[in-house]
Amino acid sequence: KRPNTYQEDVANQMERQLEQYNGCILIASTGLGKTIMATEVTLRLFRKELIDSLIVFAPVPTHTDWKRAVSAANVPLQVFTRNLLDVPEAKGGGALEEMLIALDEADEKSVIVVDEAQYFANRYAQPKGKQRKRERESYKRLMRVVQENGAYIILMTATPFVKRARDINNQL
């Protein structure tokens, strides 16, 4: 799908922010085409040879939409459920291993998209019983791949403020 006029304007801004800051946040109401806009920006970066792969973390019901949108653009894609980002390595499993390998291989020529980024409004896991407050695995993993490996990141959400103003800062 080709973006319409307002989506084109948003994609232009996203592209500038990605090239300047290596990241951006796309806040748009449900149904306004966040997937289309993120795919358009990814395609532009791919055509400029700034990227060569895309990793998407999204809710399972949107995986087919992502695969359909990106396959038309011919950008190499891996799609994972966003919940997988918080699964401890000790839990293991094929999907977790595949995700960890993808993150380890991600570099300055990779784009990571976090669809429904409001899921990450809480930087710290809620302690159970006498447990101490600890940083979520998702933060450690994404911060490492973005800061150390230089991957681009696109955060997408329709609801950046979950409960408090600091929710958006946690996402950023």
Side-chain angles (χ1 to χ4, degrees):
K1 291 184 179 179
R2 296 287 312 147
N4 64 31
T5 305
Y6 79 86
Q7 291 170 328
E8 200 60 54
D9 291 340
V10 172
N12 290 338
Q13 182 66 24
M14 291 173 65
E15 183 179 7
R16 282 191 298 275
Q17 289 177 346
L18 285 165
E19 288 180 357
Q20 187 173 359
Y21 303 111
N22 269 42
C24 67
I25 184 166
L26 171 57
I27 301 171
S29 295
T30 302
L32 291 181
K34 289 184 287 295
T35 303
I36 292 169
M37 291 181 267
T39 301
E40 174 66 17
V41 171
T42 300
L43 177 59
R44 291 177 186 183
L45 296 176
F46 185 73
R47 286 181 179 155
K48 289 180 176 181
E49 298 182 0
L50 294 174
I51 64 146
D52 58 17
S53 64
L54 173 62
I55 301 170
V56 175
F57 293 97
V60 173
T62 66
H63 286 197
T64 301
D65 295 335
W66 276 105
K67 289 175 184 173
R68 190 177 304 122
V70 176
S71 70
N74 292 319
V75 178
L77 167 72
Q78 292 178 289
V79 182
F80 301 100
T81 178
R82 65 173 187 253
N83 299 0
L84 201 55
L85 276 167
D86 276 319
V87 174
E89 284 188 50
K91 298 268 179 168
L96 178 63
E97 284 182 40
E98 188 179 336
M99 182 207 66
L100 292 173
I101 290 169
L103 288 177
D104 283 343
E105 292 175 350
D107 59 16
E108 69 279 350
K109 295 202 60 149
S110 304
V111 174
I112 297 173
V113 173
V114 180
D115 193 351
E116 303 287 341
Q118 75 276 3
Y119 176 76
F120 299 99
N122 296 312
R123 183 173 185 163
Y124 296 94
Q126 297 301 321
K128 295 175 186 167
K130 294 183 179 183
Q131 287 181 341
R132 289 185 26 205
K133 198 174 183 179
R134 60 179 171 73
E135 193 170 44
R136 290 171 62 179
E137 288 295 324
S138 54
Y139 276 87
K140 292 187 256 183
R141 289 174 175 154
L142 289 174
M143 292 296 279
R144 181 184 55 78
V145 76
V146 170
Q147 290 181 341
E148 293 176 18
N149 298 7
Y152 294 93
I153 189 158
I154 299 173
L155 303 177
M156 298 175 20
T157 183
T159 54
F161 295 101
V162 178
K163 293 180 183 174
R164 307 166 295 280
R166 74 173 171 234
D167 294 343
I168 195 165
N169 289 332
N170 286 335
Q171 292 169 68
L172 292 172

